[in-house]
Amino acid sequence: MSKQKRDRNLLAFTGATAIAVLAVNFAIAAFNAHKKKQKKKDLQGSNVRVNLSASEIRKLADRIIAKSKQVHDAVASVPFDKVTYLNVISPLAELEAEQFPQVQSCVFPRLVSSLDDVRKASTEAERRIDAHVLSCSKREDVYRAVKAYASKGEWTSPEVKRYIQSLVRDFERNGLNLTVTKREEVQRLRAQIDELSLRYVRNLNDDNTFLLFSEAELVGLPPEFPEDKAENGKFKVMLKGHHFPVVLELCKVGRTRRLVAEAYGKRCGDINLSVLECLVETRHKLARLLGYLNYADYAVDLRMAKTSSKVFEFLEEISASLTDLATKELMMLKDLKRIEEQQFDLDLGAVKQYFPVNLVLSGVFKISQDLFGLRFEEVVDVEVWHSDVRVFSVFDLSSSELLGYFYLDIYKREGKYGHTCVVSLQNGAISSTGARQIPVALLISQIQKDIVGLPSLLRFSEVVNFFHEFGHVVQHVCNRASFAKFSGLRVDPDFVEIPGQLLENWCYESFSLKLISGFHQDITKPIKDEVCKSLKRWRYAFSALKLKQEILYCIFDQIIHSADNVDIVELFKHLHSKVMLGLPMLEGTNPASCFPRSAIGFEAACYSHIWSEVFAADIFASKFRDDGILNQYAGMQFRNKVLAPGGSKDPIEILSDFLGREPSIQAFVNSRSEYGL
């Protein structure tokens, strides 16, 4: 049995248990080899279809659109004096729950399929389905039917009320409560915004700038990086994808890091600046047409923050609290180079040798089991889209109730989506008959698969990222909302990152670090105590300066979406000096031209990551750090009070119920002061 095959089947353990598990694994492998000859089985309760051909994807997309149109037409045909929950609201809720896994069956292959025609069909299906969904969101006849029922105020539960109000709100944010002329203007502005946003991102994606460095200029990088070698013997470092963070994190040559950072900040200089200026102006026009003072107020209105003024207040408070520590860090930076190694005796390249992927996986299973009362069981002989993909059932540890499933697709391959993320494949929901639809998730990553002499090892930053994404898997599977609209990851955007950021904390505690680590040549030897301590200190090394830099971008994003006629270049220069304690920008860079979060996806909401990080720190400090990091009582309270409601309740209400008070920034500030330099 090859080492590669053995490692794939092994959920590794540390200590003597590893030997017993290894022996059992030989028997399991033989059994699995026999089972592979049998017909693949379905996942009970999952309506997700994998391995669809290109033609099957196109046909399923046709059926989805036809069924959706049929239901919307039926709802629209109900006379206003005859509207009821059963003929207006329930059909829309049932349609969403039923079609979500069907839509995802069409859409997710573009991220993972090895077949070009399937990826193309999937991309086209997504375009068609999105266009149909957009057309449904503009249907005045459906809006009027929903509004007619909402006006009756017949709420059978707080969750039903929240659902109906969210339906009305979504229609009205598309302008359906405006005159026809204004509604048409809303649609024109939205189309213009979409085109400008995509142009900004396309410019960055099309930028293939690279730098050439000798081997001596790349000291500190892993042997497999970078992959491309130019004719003159130098190595090619690209300014997109995974090259940029790896160089900044691991390269020991300061000049190389600076050259890469400068080149990265110069991408798409003038071209994207003009796009962003036009984009911001158009967004303001849209917001005012919809009744808001500016685009920031429009974007923040449905989030935990509620108003842009609250966002400014939050960012200023965090920034001010970090100034003293950031000043100390800046003084130390001027005296030392490669501070991570000199101050903490931490070689991140050597640390990587202790994180084989299977150990990290078994460790995160164990931690999630002990914290949240979950049991993970691998499902064999089910249909998957690639032989590397694994499938797991998730059960409640005490009752053995099946809570959901998740697919694990972690190895790098040609044509696969290039980032780590969690994708909802089927959202939980309760039908009108009371039957529960269980959640199904997919975790995608880009880990280098085992090759001869080089096992699959994770950089420590990849370990942290994996824990974060696994937090989203737990979040998805533990959601118990009644409506698909509130299930999975469909929660308040300021709230959605909290579970992932909370689970990151276990990557820095000695107990859990030893659980997930083991030297790749002898996994019975976990990471040493002094390295655990160094990693915890490294987490907060210059964290004040790093966070101030992030706050700088957030304030910039909030200002350009709150005010008119802003000189974007001068604004960024001014903010950089103010927030970063007088430090100037890197010469010749134009960060506003290569800041895609402000162009698409997080416009006027870049603060959201810090917002959720602050509340995650409060949760960890209040409930886990001092009371035991594997405190299952606190973990189950988090599962039942925070994860289970999903989007069905107000996030501040959820957190206040769990914490016994309103959430605070104090724990976040204290953690940086306690472990900072």
Side-chain angles (χ1 to χ4, degrees):
M1 180 179 179
S2 70
K3 178 181 183 298
Q4 179 177 339
K5 180 70 175 178
R6 183 173 69 248
D7 287 349
R8 184 186 183 282
N9 287 318
L10 175 62
L11 283 179
F13 296 84
T14 56
T17 309
I19 301 189
V21 171
L22 187 60
V24 171
N25 229 52
F26 281 99
I28 293 176
F31 175 73
N32 286 344
H34 170 71
K35 291 279 287 181
K36 282 182 180 178
K37 299 177 182 178
Q38 301 177 8
K39 186 180 183 297
K40 300 291 184 181
K41 60 189 178 188
D42 295 327
L43 284 178
Q44 183 181 359
S46 172
N47 297 312
V48 182
R49 298 182 61 190
V50 302
N51 274 340
L52 292 179
S53 66
S55 63
E56 288 172 329
I57 289 173
R58 286 189 285 269
K59 290 175 183 176
L60 180 55
D62 289 339
R63 293 197 298 273
I64 289 169
I65 292 171
K67 176 63 180 295
S68 176
K69 186 176 184 306
Q70 177 187 354
V71 171
H72 281 83
D73 287 346
V75 169
S77 69
V78 179
F80 292 163
D81 61 343
K82 302 291 185 183
V83 294
T84 66
Y85 183 86
L86 290 178
N87 63 21
V88 171
I89 306 302
S90 183
L92 295 175
E94 296 268 350
L95 178 72
E96 185 170 18
E98 173 192 318
Q99 289 207 323
F100 188 87
Q102 296 174 0
V103 170
Q104 294 303 87
S105 298
C106 291
V107 169
F108 92 90
R110 72 179 178 83
L111 303 175
V112 298
S113 177
S114 301
L115 301 175
D116 186 57
D117 67 326
V118 169
R119 292 198 301 272
K120 287 180 179 177
S122 177
T123 301
E124 176 61 17
E126 181 178 44
R127 185 196 64 77
R128 291 181 57 218
I129 293 170
D130 283 350
H132 170 73
V133 170
L134 181 60
S135 70
C136 291
S137 71
K138 300 175 185 176
R139 289 192 58 162
E140 184 181 5
D141 51 2
V142 177
Y143 163 64
R144 297 298 176 194
V146 172
K147 183 80 170 177
Y149 180 76
S151 65
K152 297 172 71 173
E154 296 176 355
W155 322 120
T156 56
S157 72
E159 187 173 358
V160 168
K161 178 180 179 180
R162 188 175 178 87
Y163 177 71
I164 295 170
Q165 289 177 335
S166 72
L167 291 180
V168 174
R169 178 200 67 204
D170 291 347
F171 279 120
E172 293 183 350
R173 281 174 71 87
N174 271 322
L176 291 189
N177 56 331
L178 302 177
T179 64
V180 173
T181 302
K182 288 184 177 181
R183 196 184 310 158
E184 290 174 350
E185 178 66 2
V186 166
Q187 302 312 324
R188 187 189 69 80
L189 290 173
R190 284 196 183 280
Q192 189 177 349
I193 288 169
D194 289 344
E195 194 280 325
L196 288 167
S197 301
L198 291 174
R199 190 191 309 173
Y200 184 103
V201 174
R202 193 183 304 119
N203 289 338
L204 286 174
N205 289 341
D206 291 345
D207 185 286
N208 292 314
T209 304
F210 62 87
L211 300 177
L212 295 175
F213 294 104
S214 67
E215 189 171 355
E217 292 173 309
L218 297 174
V219 172
L221 298 185
E224 69 273 14
F225 180 93
E227 301 93 342
D228 299 328
K229 198 168 187 178
E231 293 181 2
N232 60 4
K234 291 193 173 184
F235 292 91
K236 183 186 293 186
V237 173
M238 306 296 295
L239 294 182
K240 60 183 180 181
H242 66 289
H243 282 200
F244 174 70
V246 172
V247 171
L248 292 191
E249 178 184 332
L250 298 179
C251 183
K252 298 183 179 181
V253 183
R255 179 177 176 275
T256 300
R257 297 196 306 274
R258 182 180 180 85
L259 288 174
V260 169
E262 287 178 345
Y264 189 82
K266 292 178 180 178
R267 295 171 302 149
C268 302
D270 293 336
I271 184 172
N272 266 358
L273 179 61
S274 62
V275 173
L276 184 59
E277 289 172 339
C278 187
L279 183 55
V280 168
E281 181 183 353
T282 309
R283 283 174 176 159
H284 282 315
K285 290 179 181 178
L286 172 67
R288 285 167 187 149
L289 197 57
L290 293 171
Y292 294 87
L293 183 63
N294 52 57
Y295 189 81
D297 281 342
Y298 166 77
V300 176
D301 183 36
L302 301 183
R303 293 170 172 263
M304 287 174 70
K306 303 300 183 188
T307 65
S308 59
S309 60
K310 180 67 175 178
V311 174
F312 279 120
E313 178 186 330
F314 169 79
L315 292 172
E316 291 289 349
E317 187 176 3
I318 294 291
S319 183
S321 71
L322 296 169
T323 295
D324 289 344
L325 180 57
T327 301
K328 294 177 183 177
E329 292 175 352
L330 185 58
M331 291 175 62
M332 181 169 278
L333 268 179
K334 292 176 179 178
D335 297 331
L336 294 175
K337 295 182 179 180
R338 297 303 293 164
I339 186 69
E340 291 92 344
E341 293 183 9
Q342 295 190 32
Q343 182 71 8
F344 302 128
D345 190 26
L346 185 63
D347 183 343
L348 291 174
V351 169
K352 178 181 178 180
Q353 307 300 310
Y354 285 84
F355 291 109
V357 64
N358 283 320
L359 268 179
V360 175
L361 180 60
S362 63
V364 79
F365 280 4
K366 172 64 174 170
I367 290 167
S368 299
Q369 171 185 295
D370 291 350
L371 276 176
F372 307 120
L374 304 174
R375 175 167 62 85
F376 302 91
E377 183 178 301
E378 185 160 11
V379 186
V380 296
D381 297 314
V382 291
E383 193 74 19
V384 292
W385 51 91
H386 191 276
S387 59
D388 287 340
V389 178
R390 303 170 71 180
V391 186
F392 294 88
S393 302
V394 186
F395 298 92
D396 178 78
L397 188 61
S398 60
S399 69
S400 295
E401 176 192 358
L402 176 65
L403 299 178
Y405 301 100
F406 72 94
Y407 291 84
L408 197 61
D409 188 353
I410 60 175
Y411 293 114
K412 183 186 303 184
R413 63 176 178 272
E414 187 70 26
K416 184 181 168 187
Y417 180 66
H419 299 281
T420 299
C421 66
V422 170
V423 179
S424 299
L425 297 182
Q426 178 170 291
N427 278 349
I430 297 179
S431 71
S432 57
T433 64
R436 171 165 286 280
Q437 177 171 280
I438 61 173
V440 182
L442 160 62
L443 196 161
I444 299 174
S445 191
Q446 285 289 327
I447 299 169
Q448 181 64 51
K449 196 175 181 181
D450 290 16
I451 56 177
V452 178
L454 290 173
S456 294
L457 301 173
L458 300 181
R459 302 195 315 273
F460 186 68
S461 60
E462 291 176 318
V463 174
V464 176
N465 196 20
F466 188 83
F467 265 67
H468 179 103
E469 297 303 330
F470 202 83
H472 289 311
V473 171
V474 172
Q475 175 184 14
H476 183 77
V477 170
C478 292
N479 187 301
R480 305 289 281 182
S482 299
F483 295 95
K485 188 178 182 67
F486 299 145
S487 297
L489 306 180
R490 301 175 77 176
V491 298
D492 187 308
D494 285 351
F495 181 81
V496 69
E497 294 297 332
I498 289 177
Q501 288 173 333
L502 176 65
L503 204 59
E504 288 181 24
N505 287 285
W506 276 261
C507 297
Y508 298 95
E509 300 296 324
S510 294
F511 176 84
S512 44
L513 272 172
K514 289 180 177 293
L515 187 67
I516 65 174
S517 66
F519 188 58
H520 69 93
Q521 293 177 336
D522 182 358
I523 62 171
T524 65
K525 296 180 179 179
I527 203 164
K528 296 180 180 178
D529 289 331
E530 55 267 29
V531 178
C532 295
K533 294 175 183 176
S534 292
L535 284 171
K536 192 163 190 174
R537 292 197 302 270
W538 173 80
R539 179 186 192 182
Y540 298 108
F542 303 103
S543 64
L545 280 173
K546 293 172 184 174
L547 189 55
K548 270 187 169 283
Q549 185 173 42
E550 190 172 349
I551 289 171
L552 159 66
Y553 279 90
C554 294
I555 294 176
F556 166 79
D557 170 62
Q558 203 66 205
I559 289 177
I560 64 174
H561 288 105
S562 299
D564 289 315
N565 303 316
V566 175
D567 185 325
I568 289 178
V569 175
E570 289 304 313
L571 172 64
F572 210 102
K573 287 180 180 178
H574 168 73
L575 288 176
H576 198 286
S577 178
K578 177 186 175 182
V579 178
M580 299 304 295
L581 308 175
L583 286 176
M585 295 190 333
L586 285 174
E587 187 176 350
T589 61
N590 184 18
S593 294
C594 47
F595 182 37
R597 284 196 298 161
S598 192
I600 189 168
F602 291 90
E603 57 275 13
C606 292
Y607 74 89
S608 189
H609 177 82
I610 302 175
W611 181 278
S612 53
E613 186 178 358
V614 165
F615 293 140
D618 191 10
I619 291 170
F620 182 71
S622 303
K623 296 293 186 177
F624 296 102
R625 187 184 64 190
D626 298 330
D627 296 331
I629 62 169
L630 291 183
N631 180 345
Q632 190 172 90
Y633 175 78
M636 289 300 295
Q637 288 284 299
F638 183 78
R639 172 181 154 186
N640 294 328
K641 290 188 174 184
V642 180
L643 299 184
S648 65
K649 294 173 65 176
D650 179 83
I652 292 293
E653 179 187 343
I654 288 174
L655 293 180
S656 298
D657 181 39
F658 174 67
L659 292 169
R661 55 168 170 79
E662 285 199 4
S664 163
I665 73 166
Q666 201 54 51
F668 179 81
V669 173
N670 291 346
S671 64
R672 270 122 189 98
S673 300
E674 181 179 354
Y675 294 105
L677 299 176

